[in-house]
Amino acid sequence: MPSSPLPDFSNSVKLKYVKLGYQYLVNHFLTFLFVPIMVAILLELLRMGPDEIISLWRSVEFNIIHILCSAFLIVFVSTVYFMSRPRSIYLVDYTCYKPPVTCRVPFSTYMEHAKMISDFDPKSVDFQMRILERSGLGEETCLPPSSHYIPPCPTMEGARTEAQQVIFTSIDNLLEKTGIKPKDIDILVVNCSLFSPTPSISAMIVNKYKMRSNIRSFNLSGMGCSAGVLSIDLARDLLQVHPNSYGLVISTEIISPSYYGGNQRSMLLPNCLFRMGGAAILLSNRRRDSGRAKYKLVHVVRTHKGADDKAYRCVYEEEDRQGYVGVSLSKDLMAIAGEALKSNITTMGPLVLPASEQLLFLFTLIGRRFFNPKWKPYIPDFKQAFEHFCIHAGGRAVIDELEKNLQLSNEHVEASRMTLHRFGNTSSSSLWYEMAYIEAKGRMKKGDRVWQIAFGSGFKCNSAVWKCNRSIKTPTDSPWADCIHRYPVHIPEVVKL
């Protein structure tokens, strides 16, 4: 009788289930350790009779002084712990600005205007067309009114008008949603990189809403697309030292004054990618807001690579040879962003990754150091730490690179791709459009963890981690409300114009 062949275990055993078993075992190690001990103690107590248990209890000598000292020590340590631990910071709610349809710039309109602007030579027009074809943007992105002129008219008045339109609309909607009054706001943080008027934008908001004279207001400029997370971090630090307070954070980029009219290719990229947008976020450290708040802030990790000259100059505002002012994007941008991300996740990993992933990373690091340097480095599986990813929608290449490096699925980067398609690169506020997309899809559940990742000039990579406080119903006032049924859409590699 012929012997049956042995099964091919390499094919029959699915390695993903082996990995899942390993993760479950390591992440619940203490449970597996203590449960048998507790069961053994319980069985021993059941084996003993009542007389033996009473005898054991009486054999333990209790001293009233020891009991009082122990009780005092427990109360003291508990008091110190609760007094010294940081206050919980809650995100009560937020709103994203939705531009009117009159501001939309389809590809055909953009290219028609570019051809009619005499300052652009034919090569620059063709370059902008190729960028748009591969950008990942859709036909509904918006530019401010001053950019619709031929040629665009980047005036101070136009920039102020755009700022008022974006910021005041966002704040009005937020105040209506949360039911708070402008006088209730204790802290105001505004970030806008390229438009920094005098008086500041934060002063403009205080004047418009007649806020209190003792409000703590801050205006951040020149911080780039990652300034939204910086503003959250600043507001968090202020809320730690000012109890029972509300903090209002405004993240936007006013692009009216940043139009570039020259022919240097590295400076034409922002014209093609940046679009109108803004967000208003209400933070609170009040315990009574914990029930109605959408999210709780867990971590903020900031990485600054400005000490390196290449990183410092990879996003740089300057004049070209003809005297036109613009923001130049270096060819080394993606490599520098990769290094900044590596530094950022090195700090973030130990804070959020489960023990199973940290052990695998440690074993690989030891193996590469002492056994074989050619071993492939282990990339931690951040999908074990987060349910949702909000990657700054700076461009198609940024999203592609993070999807590849973090080994994410199409669904994990869906919010970022669709935000880029529908709203374009809205700079620091893009993270909030992505969060709104996830909510509009009904995917945000209680306990879900969200990782916001942003890149900005300097060069910086900043991360914020949020935990969802409650399952969020699909909002009716979302910027996605009238189009979410159409998404996700297929975005081709090249859109022929």
Side-chain angles (χ1 to χ4, degrees):
M1 186 175 179
S3 59
S4 58
L6 292 173
D8 186 353
F9 290 103
S10 62
N11 291 329
S12 61
V13 178
K14 295 187 177 180
L15 292 180
K16 74 170 185 176
Y17 294 114
V18 175
K19 186 175 181 181
L20 285 174
Y22 161 76
Q23 291 167 350
Y24 191 83
L25 177 63
V26 173
N27 295 339
H28 299 85
F29 177 74
L30 291 178
T31 303
F32 290 127
L33 179 65
F34 285 112
V35 166
I37 296 175
M38 297 302 296
V39 170
I41 293 173
L42 180 61
L43 291 174
E44 183 64 20
L45 289 174
L46 291 174
R47 188 188 63 79
M48 296 170 63
D51 294 336
E52 291 179 330
I53 294 174
I54 293 171
S55 176
L56 179 64
W57 176 262
R58 287 175 178 173
S59 67
V60 180
E61 295 183 0
F62 290 99
N63 187 306
I64 188 65
I65 301 299
H66 291 166
I67 294 174
L68 289 176
C69 288
S70 300
F72 174 77
L73 182 63
I74 292 171
V75 171
F76 177 76
V77 171
S78 300
T79 303
V80 171
Y81 170 74
F82 284 108
M83 292 291 289
S84 61
R85 78 175 177 173
R87 291 187 175 91
S88 296
I89 307 300
Y90 300 101
L91 192 161
V92 180
D93 214 329
Y94 67 96
T95 56
C96 297
Y97 174 71
K98 183 182 177 183
V101 294
T102 53
C103 292
R104 288 183 180 175
V105 183
F107 292 159
S108 58
T109 301
Y110 184 97
M111 291 312 305
E112 183 182 5
H113 285 200
K115 292 174 182 177
M116 296 174 68
I117 295 172
S118 58
D119 291 335
F120 290 147
D121 58 35
K123 290 184 178 180
S124 295
V125 174
D126 290 341
F127 175 74
Q128 292 180 74
M129 183 172 69
R130 290 197 303 274
I131 293 297
L132 281 178
E133 288 176 339
R134 295 162 176 79
S135 65
L137 273 67
E139 297 280 1
E140 297 180 285
T141 61
C142 296
L143 286 172
S146 62
S147 297
H148 289 255
Y149 288 94
I150 304 176
C153 185
T155 63
M156 175 63 75
E157 182 182 358
R160 285 189 186 275
T161 300
E162 181 190 351
Q164 292 168 358
Q165 181 180 354
V166 173
I167 296 172
F168 293 167
T169 303
S170 300
I171 295 177
D172 289 343
N173 292 338
L174 182 64
L175 296 179
E176 183 181 354
K177 285 178 72 173
T178 58
I180 71 164
K181 300 176 182 178
K183 297 283 186 183
D184 297 330
I185 296 171
D186 305 279
I187 296 163
L188 173 64
V189 181
V190 179
N191 69 266
C192 179
S193 189
L194 293 173
F195 180 54
S196 184
T198 301
S200 66
I201 298 176
S202 60
M204 181 180 75
I205 295 171
V206 171
N207 175 260
K208 164 69 176 178
Y209 292 95
K210 310 304 176 189
M211 294 177 173
R212 302 198 317 260
S213 60
N214 64 343
I215 189 170
R216 296 168 180 86
S217 65
F218 300 84
N219 201 101
L220 306 181
S221 63
M223 304 294 283
C225 299
S226 68
V229 177
L230 296 177
S231 296
I232 294 293
D233 189 36
L234 175 57
R236 179 192 64 169
D237 290 344
L238 292 166
L239 288 169
Q240 289 296 337
V241 296
H242 298 290
N244 202 36
S245 298
Y246 281 119
L248 176 62
V249 175
I250 306 297
S251 288
T252 189
E253 190 58 74
I254 305 306
I255 59 177
S256 291
S258 62
Y259 168 79
Y260 173 68
N263 292 288
Q264 188 169 316
R265 292 188 175 186
S266 62
M267 293 183 173
L268 284 170
L269 286 168
N271 283 6
C272 301
L273 299 176
F274 281 85
R275 296 294 186 266
M276 286 181 78
I281 304 100
L282 181 66
L283 301 177
S284 172
N285 59 13
R286 304 184 182 196
R287 287 188 178 181
R288 63 175 177 269
D289 285 322
S290 61
R292 70 165 179 157
K294 284 186 171 182
Y295 303 94
K296 179 182 176 181
L297 182 60
V298 183
H299 300 292
V300 176
V301 174
R302 297 167 56 172
T303 301
H304 203 310
K305 308 295 283 187
D308 179 76
D309 291 340
K310 280 188 176 181
Y312 173 70
R313 293 189 65 92
C314 71
V315 181
Y316 201 78
E317 186 176 18
E318 59 185 347
E319 293 177 333
D320 66 8
R321 294 177 180 177
Q322 284 74 42
Y324 291 104
V325 177
V327 177
S328 174
L329 304 182
S330 167
K331 293 180 180 178
D332 300 323
L333 179 59
M334 291 311 303
I336 292 167
E339 288 299 316
L341 176 66
K342 187 187 300 182
S343 300
N344 191 266
I345 64 177
T346 300
T347 306
M348 175 68 75
L351 298 175
V352 300
L353 286 171
S356 59
E357 290 300 309
Q358 296 196 44
L359 281 176
L360 283 174
F361 180 77
L362 177 63
F363 292 155
T364 306
L365 189 65
I366 293 172
R368 282 167 55 84
R369 180 69 181 270
F370 297 104
F371 298 103
N372 187 354
K374 295 182 179 180
W375 279 6
K376 186 178 179 182
Y378 179 73
I379 300 174
D381 185 4
F382 280 92
K383 299 187 290 295
Q384 297 294 322
F386 305 106
E387 284 73 34
H388 308 288
F389 296 80
C390 295
I391 301 167
H392 166 54
R396 189 177 207 150
V398 175
I399 301 170
D400 289 345
E401 195 68 19
L402 264 73
E403 180 184 11
K404 176 184 174 183
N405 288 341
L406 296 178
Q407 298 177 350
L408 303 178
S409 67
N410 288 332
E411 185 173 337
H412 287 127
V413 297
E414 182 183 309
S416 302
R417 291 195 191 283
M418 298 308 112
T419 295
L420 181 64
H421 181 270
R422 173 61 184 83
F423 294 100
N425 181 353
T426 59
S427 189
S428 59
S429 64
S430 67
L431 300 175
W432 301 104
Y433 288 91
E434 294 164 22
M435 193 96 92
Y437 179 88
I438 298 169
E439 292 181 4
K441 281 293 183 182
R443 297 173 183 169
M444 195 68 75
K445 307 299 180 185
K446 183 177 180 179
D448 283 1
R449 297 153 298 178
V450 187
W451 186 12
Q452 293 180 327
I453 316 170
F455 301 92
S457 58
F459 188 83
K460 297 179 288 292
C461 175
N462 300 317
S463 295
V465 178
W466 302 90
K467 187 174 182 179
C468 186
N469 265 3
R470 53 184 172 84
S471 295
I472 299 173
K473 297 179 180 179
T474 302
T476 57
D477 54 358
S478 165
W480 297 92
D482 65 340
C483 62
I484 192 63
H485 61 281
R486 295 191 275 113
Y487 284 90
V489 297
H490 172 66
I491 304 174
E493 290 294 325
V494 179
V495 178
K496 281 297 180 181
L497 300 182

